[in-house]
């Protein structure tokens, strides 16, 4: 009815420990329902599909930064549920007139620099949002999940990407497809990682506030360290990140949390 020319598929369940506790729920929401969407795209002749995949498909890679040529080895049902969608897209693109880009998100954080929007999830699990909430007194404390990983300080290391740069990656990916680009899987990250404790220290520094940090056990399904090689996205569709600064990411997230606090007070 609306002559849809492209699909950008953002929907899904994203909490790794929840996927370990409820694998079938994750396979239903992330994989089975993606199948239905891909089938609808084929039925109606939609030519272009951009999919939100995840760095969780890599598990704990043996190399850093990790490129798309490294064989996937997901360590959670969440990662496997997303990898299955990548596989469906690959097979579908070979059989039908559908071109796709699967963007493997690394750890998305921050908020719109102009303050128009940001993450508003209640009970969020993303580290930077949780740390900012704790700095503003919305939480009593923050828990570090695991301090015995094979990393410099024993805590997990992740590649944090500002949400604005991730948005531009989607726009670039769609332009790439519309200009005749072939199907592609591409990382979305900056190519450098920060540990959980390093992130917490930056939140304390940017906010100017101290808060309680509790050391806890590992969560199931969490890889030790995952850092992106973003070369493929840069080379193939000209993606150029503009917010590659952890303090800036935290600053935008903190500003958004303060904005939410003001809204709730009013």
């Amino acid at each position: 009815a609306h002559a849809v020319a492209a699909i950008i598929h953002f929907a899904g369940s994203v909490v790794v420990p929840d996927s370990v506790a409820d694998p079938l729920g994750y396979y239903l929401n992330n994989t089975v329902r993606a199948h239905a969407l891909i089938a609808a795209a084929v039925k109606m002749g939609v030519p272009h599909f951009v999919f939100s995949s995840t760095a969780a498909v890599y598990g704990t890679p043996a190399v850093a930064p990790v490129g798309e040529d490294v064989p996937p080895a997901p360590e959670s049902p969440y990662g496997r549920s997303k990898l299955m969608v990548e596989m469906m897209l690959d097979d579908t693109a070979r059989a039908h007139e559908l071109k796709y880009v699967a963007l493997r998100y690394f750890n998305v954080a921050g908020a719109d620099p102009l303050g128009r929007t940001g993450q508003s999830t209640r009970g969020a699990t993303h580290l930077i949002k949780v740390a900012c909430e704790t700095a503003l007194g919305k939480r009593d404390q923050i828990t570090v999940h695991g301090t015995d990983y094979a990393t410099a300080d024993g805590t997990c290391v992740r590649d944090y990407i500002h949400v604005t740069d991730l948005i531009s990656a989607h726009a670039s990916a769609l332009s790439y497809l519309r200009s005749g680009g072939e199907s592609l899987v591409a990382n979305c990250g900056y190519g450098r990682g920060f540990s959980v404790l390093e992130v917490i220290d930056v939140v304390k520094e940017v906010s100017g506030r101290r808060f309680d940090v509790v050391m806890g056990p590992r969560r199931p399904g969490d890889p030790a360290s995952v850092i992106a090689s973003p070369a493929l996205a840069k080379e193939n569709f000209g993606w150029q990140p503009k917010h590659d600064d952890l303090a800036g990411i935290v600053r935008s997230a903190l500003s958004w949390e303060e904005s939410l606090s003001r809204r709730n007070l009013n």
Side-chain angles (χ1 to χ4, degrees), residues 107-193:
N107 281 53
V108 188
D112 172 34
L114 299 180
R116 295 167 296 184
T117 188
Q119 188 181 359
S120 304
T121 314
R122 294 185 181 277
T125 60
H126 293 74
L127 173 61
I128 290 179
K129 181 173 177 66
V130 172
C132 288
E133 288 179 340
T134 310
L136 295 177
K138 297 182 181 182
R139 299 184 187 227
D140 294 332
Q141 62 189 32
I142 184 170
T143 300
V144 176
H145 298 286
T147 58
D148 59 348
Y149 287 95
T151 60
D153 62 17
T155 65
C156 289
V157 172
R158 296 290 185 269
D159 189 334
Y160 293 89
I161 175 174
H162 195 288
V163 63
T164 303
D165 281 334
L166 188 64
I167 291 166
S168 73
H170 286 79
S172 298
L174 186 55
S175 295
Y176 162 83
L177 289 173
R178 285 175 168 169
S179 65
E182 292 298 315
S183 295
L184 180 69
V185 176
N187 291 335
C188 286
Y190 292 147
R192 59 196 181 107

Side-chain angles (χ1 to χ4, degrees), residues 73-137:
E75 298 176 8
S76 67
Y78 167 62
R80 283 187 280 273
S81 73
K82 290 286 194 173
L83 181 59
M84 288 177 185
V85 180
E86 288 190 16
M87 296 167 70
M88 284 194 293
L89 284 168
D90 182 56
D91 289 338
T92 302
R94 295 173 190 274
H96 300 280
E97 295 298 319
L98 177 73
K99 302 293 185 185
Y100 73 92
V101 171
L103 297 175
R104 290 176 176 171
Y105 297 8
F106 282 65
N107 281 53
V108 188
D112 172 34
L114 299 180
R116 295 167 296 184
T117 188
Q119 188 181 359
S120 304
T121 314
R122 294 185 181 277
T125 60
H126 293 74
L127 173 61
I128 290 179
K129 181 173 177 66
V130 172
C132 288
E133 288 179 340
T134 310
L136 295 177

Side-chain angles (χ1 to χ4, degrees), residues 2-52:
H2 299 283
V4 172
I7 293 171
I8 303 181
H9 177 24
F10 296 106
S13 302
V14 300
V15 182
V16 170
D18 287 355
S19 78
V20 175
D22 181 23
L24 293 179
Y26 269 65
Y27 291 128
L28 172 62
N29 200 33
N30 290 356
T31 310
V32 175
R33 287 172 178 158
H35 172 279
L37 184 58
I38 296 167
V42 170
K43 180 180 179 181
M44 301 310 298
V46 178
H48 299 137
F49 198 107
V50 180
F51 173 58
S52 301

Side-chain angles (χ1 to χ4, degrees), residues 205-243:
E205 181 180 347
V206 171
S207 68
R209 302 186 184 187
R210 304 286 107 184
F211 48 86
D212 290 338
V213 179
V214 177
M215 303 302 168
R218 295 186 182 193
R219 297 185 306 184
D222 277 345
S225 177
V226 193
I227 301 170
S229 169
L232 207 58
K234 292 179 178 180
E235 292 169 4
N236 282 271
F237 45 85
W239 179 56
Q240 290 297 327
K242 297 180 179 178
H243 301 273

